[in-house]
Amino acid sequence: MNLDHMYQEVILDHYKHPEHKGLSVDKDIQVHHVNPSCGDEITLNLSLTDGKVSDITWDGIGCSISMASASMMSGLLVGKSTAEASIVLASFMELMQSKGTMQGDEELLEDAVAFSGVSKFPARVKCALLGWMAYKDAAFQIAEK
Ligand code: ZN
């Protein structure tokens, strides 16, 4: 992979110092997602309070892309309303499906635009989306309750 050097640093930094890693005791729901093509796994706890993402904690094992992306996802979504979180999620998914043609909306995605280069590599897109899909699933399951 030939990722832009600065973006590579951002991803490695989140991998080494992940945000919200370590599962909370309290949660509304827990989901477990795997990415068999790479061997990445994540367990995610989600709590919603008054329409807001009050807490996301996660634990997992996997490649630097999957773990860094989960770190950025939790950092971005905690504190947002579920509606705002859906907008960020949709923006990240659009970026990851862009096959390298998009730069990403830095206002919405902040550090997560670092994954724009990853979107050129279909095998790694699933790594980058793992944590986000876990959030989406958890939020959906809470809504269904
Ligand atoms: Zn991976």
Side-chain angles (χ1 to χ4, degrees), residues 35 38 40 63 66 124 127:
N35 170 24
C38 181
D40 311 314
C63 67
S66 64
R124 310 315 299 274
C127 302

PDB file of all heavy atoms in Angstrom, residues 35 38 40 63 66 124 127, ligand 1:
ATOM      1  N   ASN A  35     -14.378  -9.532  10.647  1.00  0.00           N
ATOM      2  CA  ASN A  35     -14.043  -9.348   9.235  1.00  0.00           C
ATOM      3  C   ASN A  35     -13.168 -10.533   8.845  1.00  0.00           C
ATOM      4  O   ASN A  35     -11.950 -10.491   8.989  1.00  0.00           O
ATOM      5  CB  ASN A  35     -13.294  -8.019   9.066  1.00  0.00           C
ATOM      6  CG  ASN A  35     -12.712  -7.873   7.684  1.00  0.00           C
ATOM      7  OD1 ASN A  35     -13.180  -8.487   6.725  1.00  0.00           O
ATOM      8  ND2 ASN A  35     -11.673  -7.070   7.574  1.00  0.00           N
ATOM      9  N   CYS A  38      -9.744 -10.605   6.865  1.00  0.00           N
ATOM     10  CA  CYS A  38      -8.492 -10.124   7.449  1.00  0.00           C
ATOM     11  C   CYS A  38      -8.248 -10.708   8.834  1.00  0.00           C
ATOM     12  O   CYS A  38      -7.112 -10.757   9.296  1.00  0.00           O
ATOM     13  CB  CYS A  38      -8.517  -8.597   7.515  1.00  0.00           C
ATOM     14  SG  CYS A  38      -7.054  -7.819   8.185  1.00  0.00           S
ATOM     15  N   ASP A  40      -9.983  -9.514  11.544  1.00  0.00           N
ATOM     16  CA  ASP A  40     -10.270  -8.460  12.526  1.00  0.00           C
ATOM     17  C   ASP A  40     -11.546  -8.801  13.300  1.00  0.00           C
ATOM     18  O   ASP A  40     -12.505  -9.305  12.723  1.00  0.00           O
ATOM     19  CB  ASP A  40     -10.504  -7.115  11.837  1.00  0.00           C
ATOM     20  CG  ASP A  40      -9.429  -6.772  10.836  1.00  0.00           C
ATOM     21  OD1 ASP A  40      -8.251  -6.942  11.185  1.00  0.00           O
ATOM     22  OD2 ASP A  40      -9.771  -6.322   9.729  1.00  0.00           O
ATOM     23  N   CYS A  63      -5.927  -5.719  12.422  1.00  0.00           N
ATOM     24  CA  CYS A  63      -4.900  -4.917  11.778  1.00  0.00           C
ATOM     25  C   CYS A  63      -5.009  -3.453  12.213  1.00  0.00           C
ATOM     26  O   CYS A  63      -6.009  -3.035  12.798  1.00  0.00           O
ATOM     27  CB  CYS A  63      -5.045  -5.030  10.264  1.00  0.00           C
ATOM     28  SG  CYS A  63      -6.557  -4.290   9.638  1.00  0.00           S
ATOM     29  N   SER A  66      -8.217  -1.538  10.956  1.00  0.00           N
ATOM     30  CA  SER A  66      -9.491  -1.809  11.633  1.00  0.00           C
ATOM     31  C   SER A  66      -9.520  -1.189  13.030  1.00  0.00           C
ATOM     32  O   SER A  66     -10.536  -0.607  13.439  1.00  0.00           O
ATOM     33  CB  SER A  66      -9.748  -3.320  11.721  1.00  0.00           C
ATOM     34  OG  SER A  66      -8.769  -3.957  12.520  1.00  0.00           O
ATOM     35  N   ARG A 124      -9.085  -3.895   1.981  1.00  0.00           N
ATOM     36  CA  ARG A 124      -8.909  -3.174   3.240  1.00  0.00           C
ATOM     37  C   ARG A 124     -10.124  -2.333   3.628  1.00  0.00           C
ATOM     38  O   ARG A 124     -10.212  -1.858   4.747  1.00  0.00           O
ATOM     39  CB  ARG A 124      -7.669  -2.267   3.186  1.00  0.00           C
ATOM     40  CG  ARG A 124      -6.402  -2.940   2.701  1.00  0.00           C
ATOM     41  CD  ARG A 124      -6.152  -4.312   3.325  1.00  0.00           C
ATOM     42  NE  ARG A 124      -5.989  -4.321   4.769  1.00  0.00           N
ATOM     43  CZ  ARG A 124      -4.833  -4.114   5.401  1.00  0.00           C
ATOM     44  NH1 ARG A 124      -3.762  -3.859   4.723  1.00  0.00           N
ATOM     45  NH2 ARG A 124      -4.774  -4.169   6.724  1.00  0.00           N
ATOM     46  N   CYS A 127     -11.862  -3.703   6.517  1.00  0.00           N
ATOM     47  CA  CYS A 127     -11.126  -3.430   7.763  1.00  0.00           C
ATOM     48  C   CYS A 127     -11.551  -2.064   8.307  1.00  0.00           C
ATOM     49  O   CYS A 127     -11.881  -1.921   9.476  1.00  0.00           O
ATOM     50  CB  CYS A 127      -9.620  -3.410   7.514  1.00  0.00           C
ATOM     51  SG  CYS A 127      -8.940  -4.924   6.817  1.00  0.00           S
TER      52      CYS A 127
HETATM   53 ZN    ZN B   1      -7.938  -5.764   8.768  1.00  0.00          ZN
END
